[in-house]
Amino acid sequence: MEEFDFVIIGAGLSGVDAAYRLKTQLPHCSYTVLEAQGEAGGTWSFFNFPGIRSDSQLTVFGLPWRPWVHEKDVAEASLIREYIQDATRAEGLDKKIQFGHRVAGVSWSSEEQRWTLAVRAGDLAKECKAKFLLACSGYYDYTKPLEAKIPGIENFQGTVAHPQFWPNDLDYANKKVVIIGSGATAVTMLPVVAQTASHVTMLQRSPSYVFSIPSVNHFGAWTKRHFPEHLAHSINWWWSFLEEYIFVFFNLLFPSQARKLSLSLAKEQLPDTIDADIHFNPKYNPMEQRLCMCPDGDFFRALHRENCDIVTDHIETVTADGILTKSGVKLDADIIVTATGLHVHLLGGLTPIVDGRAFDVGTSYAWRGAMLTGLPNAGSVIGYTVNSWTLGADASVKLLIKVWKHMQKIGATSVVPFCEDEDLSSSLPAVAHSSTYFVMAESRLPRITGKSPWYGRKNTIYDHWKLWFGSVTKGMRYTVPSKKNQ
């Protein structure tokens, strides 16, 4: 049976970044990456719905150690997938990835001080052992979406498609399409579908904030032409980071002004026939849910087309040939797209077994957003939900490497977070978003108190401050063989 110091689960941006950090910061450690799909890329290899792209600038959303060289800074999935795969080959990380290897179960033995992983590789069942796990498979279920209750959907005689499992042969040209949803997926799909569909309607129960951002960072393009690549990347990274950081904190600190700005900008870009106060004025404050970004205002431009509109209403029922809303509006449809959200879970949906007992994520506390109480030698690598994802994932990996180095320094074989306050009633979910798919997942998410070290993902400035000056012993129990339970 193979044994490694580290096993990384997942070869998307987070997993590839973790592999690089292990390679460069812990060169004497052994590791492997287990990836269920046949290629690296994670989300960007898995999803294939029309128009799939980033909604963050790749300069900061990309890998911190791998410059984004394309002119477009908000890019389609194919470019992101190519970028990730090029990075794995350039750094030799592809040789560490075992593709087509799905982790089916993980169990920890305190006696062995090891994790045992049950893995499926096609029809072959195999096992391997690890001293430390890094779960880098994101926060959603690859096998099932969020189950949204849509009354009468079984009556529909046309095609029902979910973006998570988009049919490769689905032809929407000259068809009437209704996209149910108001999030990033719906905002991404609408402009692309509208190019060839006879008509497309975005049906939302409640509005979202939608901002336009340039697909090309003109300042970044200028620096790439005038500076060496490494220097240009550093300048662009800091410029993009500060730009995003200021934007996020403006929304968080001044929600009323941010709302007014969002509404004003939407009105400038919308046709006179669409009322921004109805369709783009959410009840919640900015950043309580993810903001939707559209490159070069493509979403707003699409709404100027005669074959494209937006409806804010509730569904009364789905009929054989469309949707009837609560207000009595009939939306004809050949295709209904249910862009209603993701099924959220951590650790790739695995239920770890710790010394024979099933581990419940929902009753654990998050230690600095990277480990969970009661789960030894395991990191849950999660990115930011309001800032660029990869910044948070990278901060988590760096913190976990610091924990590992402390283990080596004191001769510990395991470490597990512990919280003396076991009363969950006064705690909060680790992710405070009010989006339906996060609210429905509260029982599957760890808890936080808001006090260090029991907090979730913060922001990269706070997390790096804590990385440099924070304690790796507070709230942690290290096991040293000669001093059990130290």
Side-chain angles (χ1 to χ4, degrees), residues 60-243:
V60 287
F61 181 68
L63 300 161
W65 39 271
R66 178 79 177 180
W68 176 258
V69 298
H70 297 284
E71 184 179 49
K72 290 182 68 175
D73 214 22
V74 179
E76 56 269 22
S78 58
L79 280 179
I80 302 172
R81 181 171 62 248
E82 179 184 280
Y83 163 79
I84 296 171
Q85 294 171 2
D86 286 348
T88 64
R89 288 189 290 268
E91 296 294 337
L93 306 176
D94 55 329
K95 299 178 178 62
K96 295 289 189 176
I97 304 174
Q98 300 185 59
F99 294 110
H101 281 58
R102 182 182 301 279
V103 179
V106 294
S107 59
W108 168 262
S109 168
S110 293
E111 183 177 354
E112 294 183 26
Q113 295 285 283
R114 295 289 187 277
W115 283 100
T116 300
L117 291 82
V119 182
R120 297 291 304 185
D123 295 330
L124 179 65
K126 52 194 294 189
E127 290 186 340
C128 66
K129 289 186 179 294
K131 296 177 183 176
F132 211 105
L133 290 184
L134 295 178
C136 298
S137 51
Y139 64 77
Y140 68 87
D141 193 330
Y142 277 70
T143 64
K144 65 178 180 180
L146 178 70
E147 293 184 10
K149 294 181 180 179
I150 302 175
I153 191 70
E154 68 279 359
N155 300 325
F156 188 57
Q157 297 300 304
T159 301
V160 178
H162 194 285
Q164 191 164 335
F165 304 105
W166 191 262
N168 291 325
D169 59 351
L170 181 57
D171 182 10
Y172 50 84
N174 302 313
K175 301 288 180 63
K176 295 185 288 292
V177 182
V178 176
I179 303 172
I180 301 174
S182 61
T185 300
V187 169
T188 297
M189 288 185 66
L190 181 135
V192 178
V193 174
Q195 293 173 10
T196 57
S198 64
H199 194 275
V200 57
T201 300
M202 177 171 148
L203 173 59
Q204 57 181 14
R205 184 173 54 186
S206 58
S208 294
Y209 293 98
V210 183
F211 280 90
S212 295
I213 56 174
S215 63
V216 175
N217 183 331
H218 295 289
F219 174 78
W222 182 85
T223 59
K224 289 174 184 177
R225 290 194 301 269
H226 292 86
F227 292 94
E229 181 181 285
H230 179 73
L231 180 58
H233 174 62
S234 295
I235 295 172
N236 290 339
W237 191 93
W238 279 105
W239 178 273
S240 296
F241 166 72
L242 290 173
E243 191 176 51

